[in-house]
């Protein structure tokens, strides 16, 4: 088995200046893979708009002052009772894959979500995706269920596994999740 050398990456909160790099990283996933169900790649303006909710932070990983990956957060569902649960996503440039960047980025993301008062992180993983499943399992996610054939992309019906990680114990009356600096203040 060939192992790639670890890659050193710095993780920070993403801001508007990162939107173009994030869009460029995400574009091939949209066009060439079943790992996302988007069909039309979002441009930098679309990405920036998605990042603007200060309650749902996005992080980027940088190496040599260049964005090589990102982790996103979105509401799990739009109903108020779901507000302590978030859905996460993580995408890397090809040369960053298999070099420890994903683990560093996702671990940092989970720690930030926990600090902000979220209780559950959910990852939807289009199957098959052994690398993503292994990453999430290493970071404490457990399989919550599989949605069979819920998406059709690139000529195939695709299953999505839902992986869940608890970030905090369930309490009778949880505190409201905290917002952080807005992405525009972080850039």
């Amino acid at each position: 088995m060939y192992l790639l050398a670890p890659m050193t990456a710095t993780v920070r909160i993403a801001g508007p200046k990162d939107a173009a790099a994030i869009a460029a990283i995400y574009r091939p996933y949209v066009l060439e893979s079943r790992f996302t169900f988007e069909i039309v790649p979002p441009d930098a303006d679309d990405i920036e708009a998605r990042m603007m909710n200060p309650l749902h932070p996005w992080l980027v990983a940088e190496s040599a002052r260049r964005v090589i990956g990102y982790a996103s957060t979105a509401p799990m569902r739009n109903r108020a009772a779901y507000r302590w649960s978030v859905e996460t996503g993580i995408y890397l440039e090809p040369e960053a894959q298999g070099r420890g960047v994903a683990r560093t980025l996702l671990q940092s993301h989970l720690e930030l979500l926990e600090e902000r008062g979220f209780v559950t992180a959910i990852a939807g993983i289009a199957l098959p995706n052994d690398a993503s499943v292994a990453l999430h399992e290493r970071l404490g996610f457990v399989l919550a269920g599989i949605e069979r054939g819920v998406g059709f992309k690139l000529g195939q019906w695709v299953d999505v596994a839902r992986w869940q990680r608890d970030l905090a114990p369930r309490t009778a009356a949880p505190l409201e999740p905290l917002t952080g600096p807005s992405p525009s203040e972080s850039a």
Side-chain angles (χ1 to χ4, degrees), residues 112-150:
L112 178 60
L113 294 171
E114 186 176 342
E115 288 170 11
R116 294 217 177 156
F118 290 101
V119 174
T120 305
I122 302 291
I125 302 174
L127 300 176
N129 189 340
D130 295 340
S132 187
V133 168
L135 169 66
H136 285 82
E137 285 180 341
R138 279 193 307 272
L139 292 177
F141 283 77
V142 295
L143 181 64
I146 297 176
E147 300 167 334
R148 306 280 179 198
V150 294

Side-chain angles (χ1 to χ4, degrees), residues 18-92:
D18 301 309
I22 290 170
I25 290 168
Y26 189 48
R27 182 179 180 79
Y29 288 96
V30 173
L31 295 175
E32 302 164 11
S33 82
R34 292 175 289 102
F35 297 152
T36 175
F37 284 180
E38 288 199 70
I39 304 295
V40 177
D43 64 18
D45 290 338
D46 296 327
I47 294 293
E48 186 176 339
R50 293 176 188 189
M51 294 169 36
M52 294 315 326
N53 183 341
L55 185 61
H56 297 283
W58 287 42
L59 299 181
V60 291
E62 289 181 315
S63 181
R65 300 181 63 121
R66 188 172 65 82
V67 174
I68 58 170
Y70 73 94
S72 61
T73 309
M76 185 182 132
R77 301 276 190 276
N78 289 329
R79 301 243 177 0
Y82 287 108
R83 68 186 172 276
W84 293 275
S85 300
V86 293
E87 188 161 0
T88 63
I90 183 168
Y91 296 91
L92 303 178

